[in-house]
Amino acid sequence: MAQPPLELAKPSILAKSGVMLAAAVGLAALAALVFSTIFSLAYLGRILPGVRMAGLDLGGMRRTEAVALLARQFSFPTTGHVTLRYGERVWTFTPAELGLRLDAEASAGAAYGFGRSLWPWENIAGKAQSLQGGAELAPRLVFDGQAAYRALQRIAAELNRPTIEAQLSVSGLQIAVQPGQIGLTLDTQKTADWLAAQLLLMQDIEVPLAVIEAPPRILDASAQAAIAQNLLTQPLAILPGGSYEDNPEPWTLSPETLAGMLSVERVEGETRAHYQIGLDAQQLGAFVADLGPQVAATPRNARFIFNDETAQLDIYKPAIVGRTLDLQASIDHINEQIGEGTHQVELQYDYSDPEVGDNVTAAELGITQLVHQESTYFYGSAPARIQNITTAAERFHGLLVPPGAVFSMVDNIGDISLESGFAEALIIFGDRTIKGVGGGVCQVSTTLFRAAFFAGFPIVERWPHAYRVGYYERNSANQIDPGLVGLDATVFAPIVDFKFQNDTPYWLLMETYVESGSITWKFYSTSDGRTVEAQSSGIDNITDPPDTRYEENPELSKGEVKQVDWAVKGADVTWFRRVYRDGVLLYEDIFATQYQAWPDIYQYGPGTANMPPKQVKGQDD
C-alpha cells in the first residue's frame, strides 16, 4: 500500500506561549530601564526620595544640604551616654569623648549613592524601594582609638593599684595586722575593642571594664591575728594528762613568755598562702623536752593478793601503762590546740602496755597455792626502824616475778628517802653503825633471802652484814637462836643488792605482812616438787670485840657522853644447801659468812672531863 505523503508539523501552543513570555519579559525589562533612567534624570544631583539616615529624611536633598542637615541634627556623639563600670565604680562619658564622631560627608555620599549603583538591577531595586517605603541608612561613623585610649588611661590612673600582701606583727602583747590588697590593672586595649563594637549601635550603653585582678598570696590575716591575740590574753597551761599517781602539777606559760615564743610562719600553698600561728618549735621543744623525765612512767604489772578461799587473784594495785613523752607530737598538738583557741593542752605520749594487766587470772599465771613463807622478828625496834620496815615491805606486797626472771630488790624498792616515807634509823656504814635514812630495810632483805633460800630458788646475789645483828638471830619467842646465824642479807642501793631467780615455769606472787614485831614473806605459785636440805656449820672462829673506842664529836655538848656502837664478837658461819625436785638433785650451793668483831664506841662533847678515860677495859694505862 502506498504511504500517504508527509505533512509539515504545526507550531505547538507551548512554543507560542514561550515566545510570548520572552517578549513580555523583554518589554518589562525595557520598561524598567526606561523607568530607572527617567527617575535618575528626575533626581539628577539630588538624593532619591524616601532615603533616611539616623531618622532624618534626606530625600530630594542635594549632597551639601544633606551634609549640613546631618551635621546639624545628628547629636548622638555629644548627647549619648556611655557608662564604664568596674564593680560599684562607674565612669560616664559621651561617645564623642571616647572618640566617636559622624562623618557627614561620607554619610551624605552614602545617601546620594543609594539607587545609583553601577549594577542596573540594583539601581532599579533601590529606586523601587525608595518609592514604595523608603530606605533607612546607617550614618558613617568614625571611631578615634587614641581618644578612647586617653580616656581609659585617666580611668587607669584612678583604678590601677599594686598587689599588697597581708602582714602580721607582734609588739609586746599586742598583735598588729595589715590587710592585703588585690592588685588591679585596666586592660585598655581589650576595653577599647569592646567600646568600638558597642558604640556603633548608636545607643546608650554600659560597658564593663576589662580589669586584670592580681590577688595577693595572703589577702586577709585577721583570723590568724585573732588567734594570736587570744593566745596572749591569758596563761597557757600544759597538762601532764592521764590519771597517773605521780602526775606533776600543770606547767604554766605566762602571756609574756608566750609572746617571746610566738611564731608567725608563712605557709605556701599551690595557689594561696596563709599565716600559721603557733609557738616556735625550737623554743617550745626545749621547754617540753625538759618535762619528759617528770611524766615518764614505766609499765608496771598489776599487783595482786592471792585469795586463799577462792584460789583467785584479788587486785591490790592496778596495772600501769608505761608512757614516754612524744616530743614532736606534743609540739604539734600544742600548736594545733592554740589554733583552736584552747588555753589548756595535754602532752602527747607513746604508750607501752605492761605484761600483766588487771584482768589476768591465777590459772593463766600458774598461781595456785602457797609454796613457801618465812618470818623474821624485830621486837624492841625503835619506831623509826619499824616505819622503815613497814615502808620497805609494802614496796614488794603483791609483786609478780615472771618465770625465769631474776628478781632484784634494788630495782624494785625504789627511792629510799624522807620524802618517800622512810625515816632516819641506825645503819651499818663502813666500819661503824650510824644514823641514816632507811635503817631497818635489811630486816626486809633478810626475810626475802630466807624465803628464797628455803623455797629452793637460786640465789644470784647476796651480801651478809659486816657484823652479827641481833634482830636477825631472834626467833618468835624473842630469843637468840644460834641456828639463824648466817642467814642475813644486806641491801644498800644502788651498790649492794639481793637477787634471786624464779627458775620455775610459773609466775611467782609475793606478799609481805608486817605485824607487831615481825615481818612475813609469802610465795604463791605452783609447786614443781622441789625440796630443800639446809645445814649450818655452826658458829666457828669466835673472836672477842676490839677495845672500846672513844671519839670526840663536836655536835655534842661539854660533858655529854653517848654510846653509838655496841660490842659484838666476830665469828664464821657456813650454810650448805641442796635443792631437789622429785628426789633428783637440781643444784647445791654454799653460803659462807665471816662476821667482824665489833667494839663498843662512845662519843663525847669537846671539853668533857676524863675523855678518853685513862683506863679502858682490856687496856693498860
Side-chain angles (χ1 to χ4, degrees), residues 452-586:
F453 181 89
F454 287 108
F457 290 112
I459 307 301
V460 177
E461 181 179 346
R462 173 258 177 179
W463 299 89
H465 288 81
Y467 62 85
R468 291 172 61 183
V469 178
Y471 290 119
Y472 309 139
E473 299 176 3
R474 294 184 181 275
N475 56 26
S476 59
N478 199 23
Q479 296 175 340
I480 297 296
D481 184 350
L484 297 177
V485 179
L487 291 177
D488 61 292
T490 185
V491 170
F492 190 77
I495 303 169
V496 178
D497 198 358
F498 172 73
K499 300 177 182 178
F500 76 96
Q501 183 181 20
N502 173 17
D503 63 340
T504 74
Y506 312 107
W507 286 76
L508 175 66
L509 171 63
M510 302 187 297
E511 296 180 14
T512 56
Y513 297 92
V514 177
E515 299 175 348
S516 179
S518 71
I519 173 174
T520 300
W521 204 298
K522 293 184 176 183
F523 285 168
Y524 286 92
S525 188
T526 293
S527 174
D528 64 350
R530 70 181 62 194
T531 56
V532 175
E533 290 182 357
Q535 183 177 1
S536 170
S537 65
I539 303 173
D540 296 325
N541 301 323
I542 298 175
T543 58
D544 290 330
D547 293 338
T548 301
R549 285 165 39 193
Y550 292 85
E551 302 172 344
E552 183 177 297
N553 184 349
E555 295 182 359
L556 299 179
S557 58
K558 180 180 179 180
E560 184 178 3
V561 180
K562 184 177 182 180
Q563 184 172 5
V564 296
D565 254 319
W566 286 260
V568 177
K569 291 183 178 182
D572 295 337
V573 179
T574 301
W575 277 89
F576 304 91
R577 184 179 70 152
R578 290 184 177 87
V579 180
Y580 299 88
R581 183 168 59 205
D582 298 329
V584 178
L585 181 67
L586 286 180

Side-chain angles (χ1 to χ4, degrees), residues 195-397:
L195 275 173
Q198 295 295 314
L199 285 173
L200 295 178
L201 299 176
M202 289 190 303
Q203 59 186 18
D204 291 347
I205 57 173
E206 181 177 295
V207 178
L209 293 173
V211 178
I212 300 172
E213 296 183 349
R217 299 281 291 174
I218 303 178
L219 177 61
D220 183 11
S222 58
Q224 290 78 15
I227 292 172
Q229 193 64 70
N230 176 66
L231 174 64
L232 302 182
T233 58
Q234 57 183 285
L236 175 68
I238 299 179
L239 313 178
S243 57
Y244 287 77
E245 183 178 318
D246 297 328
N247 255 356
E249 293 296 319
W251 301 272
T252 301
L253 297 175
S254 68
E256 290 75 15
T257 300
L258 294 172
M261 299 172 67
L262 190 63
S263 167
V264 181
E265 180 182 355
R266 183 185 175 97
V267 180
E268 296 291 343
E270 291 185 6
T271 59
R272 292 287 183 269
H274 66 277
Y275 289 115
Q276 183 70 47
I277 302 300
L279 299 180
D280 179 74
Q282 185 172 358
Q283 296 183 64
L284 180 60
F287 176 80
V288 173
D290 288 340
L291 310 182
Q294 303 179 52
V295 296
T298 302
R300 190 181 73 186
N301 291 334
R303 291 168 68 170
F304 300 96
I305 301 299
F306 186 82
N307 190 316
D308 294 301
E309 295 181 0
T310 65
Q312 297 299 320
L313 298 178
D314 294 337
I315 193 77
Y316 175 60
K317 286 188 177 180
I320 293 179
V321 176
R323 68 179 183 184
T324 55
L325 181 69
D326 187 329
L327 180 59
Q328 189 58 54
S330 294
I331 294 172
D332 294 342
H333 182 64
I334 290 171
N335 279 326
E336 178 183 323
Q337 292 298 299
I338 285 173
E340 296 180 5
T342 303
H343 291 275
Q344 291 188 341
V345 187
E346 289 189 358
L347 296 173
Q348 302 297 294
Y349 302 93
D350 290 320
Y351 293 95
S352 54
D353 293 326
E355 189 175 0
V356 180
D358 298 348
N359 298 323
V360 72
T361 65
E364 290 172 334
L365 298 180
I367 298 174
T368 60
Q369 63 190 116
L370 176 67
V371 294
H372 195 77
Q373 71 177 47
E374 286 289 330
S375 298
T376 63
Y377 304 91
F378 50 87
Y379 299 114
S381 289
R385 188 172 190 271
I386 296 174
Q387 176 182 333
N388 292 336
I389 294 171
T390 303
T391 302
E394 200 283 330
R395 301 280 176 94
F396 303 94
H397 189 54

Side-chain angles (χ1 to χ4, degrees), residues 103-119:
D103 188 338
E105 291 285 348
S107 298
Y112 182 78
F114 182 78
R116 290 185 171 90
S117 172
L118 294 176
W119 299 98

